Amino acid sequence: MECVGVTMFLLMFTLFLIIPGTDSKCIECVSLQPTQHGIMGDPMFLKVETHFDVHNVTFQGSWCKIKPNNTLLVTFNNINAIPNLRLKNSPALSLPDVSLYFEHLAEDTQGEYELQINIIFPGIPSPVAVTKRVTVTVSVPVSMPLITKTPESELVEDRDNVTLTCSVEHGTNVHFKWLKNNMVVGPSERHTFSQDHGTLVINPVKKEDIGQYNCEAQNHISSKLSKQAELIVFYGPYNLAVNSDQGLKTAGVFMVNPEELAFFECIADSNPPNTCVWISKTKNGTEVLMTGPRFEVKPYELPQGKEFLCRAFNNMTKKHDETKFTLVMASLDRGKAKYSQEGGVLSSLAFITISSVLIIVCMMFVLLRKSCHPRRMIKTIYRRPMTEQRGLHRSGHEDATVDFGIYEFVSVPGKMESTQVKKRNIINNNHLVFCMSSFAPEQFDISSLCIPGILQVFDTA
């Protein structure tokens, strides 16, 4: 049989001797790990480091395997090593550092080992005894684990239990870990494990046990994950309810338009799907209308306020549930109905939007009123000088709509006569008034077409 490699345990020898006339002597044996793991068939070296002069010190001791059985392996001193000839695979001892070497690890190599050594220092009459121990494990790498389920038949909630077993073809010192949907499964009131966690018992099964299960096999030197195994549980019905896209539901009452068909669905959480029965209730009794999850109603053929009942039955769990509702015919505005269902959110949003718009409008009005006053703008426009003068029409009279505006009359000293403008001018109290003569006076009030102006006199020397 091939042997598995083993690491070294810390063997520390520390001895402080304080004797008058001599120095303190220290022995320290060091190993990398307190437990050494090896692979079957590989070599292993239990190295012991000695921190004293092995050539000037006399020592003797032995290596023993104390677990599972007490067996002497080898005895030694600072000159010779004598192995136990009764053993077939006796380890070798290297001198002078007393390290132990296994050429091929076997299954029986695994156990706990002890080193005993007595050192006699010069000038010290009594020897110094040191004992150190190291644990050796020998393992075979694990193969891919397999999951088996008992029973293999369908599982019903609250009635059946299931046992999941994880096993490997190759591997020693194996410990198992269970995962459901990539989450570790731990012990609980319904989940129990064997000592090495190779067996998981669920008693009884529940809806929440449905999922994908894996088991991981691992030992000191290797680890492998199994393929997924699906666990199916029949359950329900739960949370039975009746829904309709055409009707408006309020506290078990559906309101539908009398002129259109209404479709109702009986929905429940169940595995496998339920068998649904639709029943109408009257004063004389009940009547089975149809079976199936979908029910069609013609409101115009029904009296007002008729009661219906949906009964769901699971053939596997033998459980059932039922729910009832009242059908009322009413003219519905779907927009209003939808708004009434979402009124809380929509009303809040509309209020915030309208308030924001009003605040923005008010702020703009205040800014405009402060920056450009209406009266000031009118006065500015009224006092703006005319840069151009309109010419006369060839017909001999002015177009009142074109010549409308503000005019100035300038009097130049020395000229009593100015260019005659074919307009009728009226001067009253130092104000000049231009009257439009485009329209016949018998059709319009001439005074209504007169525009006041300003008479300005410039003194030119």
Side-chain angles (χ1 to χ4, degrees), residues 144-159:
M144 179 176 289
L146 300 175
I147 297 177
T148 57
K149 184 184 72 170
T150 306
E152 297 182 355
S153 58
E154 295 83 0
L155 301 172
V156 178
E157 183 182 36
D158 296 326
R159 191 187 73 185

Side-chain angles (χ1 to χ4, degrees), residues 200-264:
L200 168 61
V201 179
I202 306 176
N203 184 22
V205 292
K206 293 280 189 181
K207 170 189 173 183
E208 52 266 28
D209 295 322
I210 297 174
Q212 301 291 335
Y213 286 79
N214 298 85
C215 74
E216 182 181 6
Q218 54 188 358
N219 58 13
H220 303 297
I221 58 173
S222 62
S223 175
K224 288 289 181 66
L225 187 67
S226 71
K227 295 181 179 180
Q228 288 185 341
E230 185 177 11
L231 186 64
I232 300 175
V233 178
F234 294 141
Y235 65 90
Y238 295 132
N239 306 320
L240 182 64
V242 174
N243 295 329
S244 177
D245 294 335
Q246 289 80 18
L248 176 63
K249 184 178 181 180
T250 305
V253 177
F254 279 97
M255 293 182 291
V256 295
N257 285 315
E259 65 273 4
E260 64 180 11
L261 294 176
F263 297 95
F264 297 89

Side-chain angles (χ1 to χ4, degrees), residues 367-391:
L367 291 175
L368 288 173
R369 185 176 178 83
K370 288 185 177 180
S371 59
C372 28
H373 198 281
R375 293 183 180 179
R376 293 179 183 175
M377 292 184 66
I378 293 173
K379 289 182 180 180
T380 303
I381 295 173
Y382 185 78
R383 293 175 180 177
R384 184 179 301 168
M386 294 293 293
T387 57
E388 295 181 356
Q389 281 192 345
R390 303 285 182 177

Side-chain angles (χ1 to χ4, degrees), residues 56-130:
N56 297 325
V57 173
T58 301
F59 61 88
Q60 64 180 8
S62 65
W63 272 100
C64 297
K65 182 179 181 182
I66 59 176
K67 288 182 180 179
N69 298 317
N70 196 348
T71 305
L72 178 64
L73 301 178
V74 61
T75 59
F76 59 86
N77 56 29
N78 53 330
I79 299 175
N80 295 318
I82 303 173
N84 187 351
L85 299 178
R86 296 180 181 179
L87 301 178
K88 295 181 179 180
N89 297 320
S90 180
L93 184 73
S94 62
L95 289 176
D97 60 358
V98 300
S99 297
L100 199 64
Y101 176 75
F102 296 89
E103 185 177 1
H104 296 286
L105 291 177
E107 187 176 357
D108 58 358
T109 309
Q110 183 169 280
E112 188 174 349
Y113 294 80
E114 183 180 78
L115 169 66
Q116 293 181 349
I117 184 170
N118 297 317
I119 307 104
I120 300 175
F121 291 98
I124 302 176
S126 59
V128 177
V130 179

Side-chain angles (χ1 to χ4, degrees), residues 282 298-308 326-329:
T282 61
K298 300 176 181 179
Y300 52 84
E301 295 180 356
L302 299 176
Q304 285 284 350
K306 190 170 183 179
E307 290 187 358
F308 292 90
T326 302
L327 182 60
V328 177
M329 291 176 290

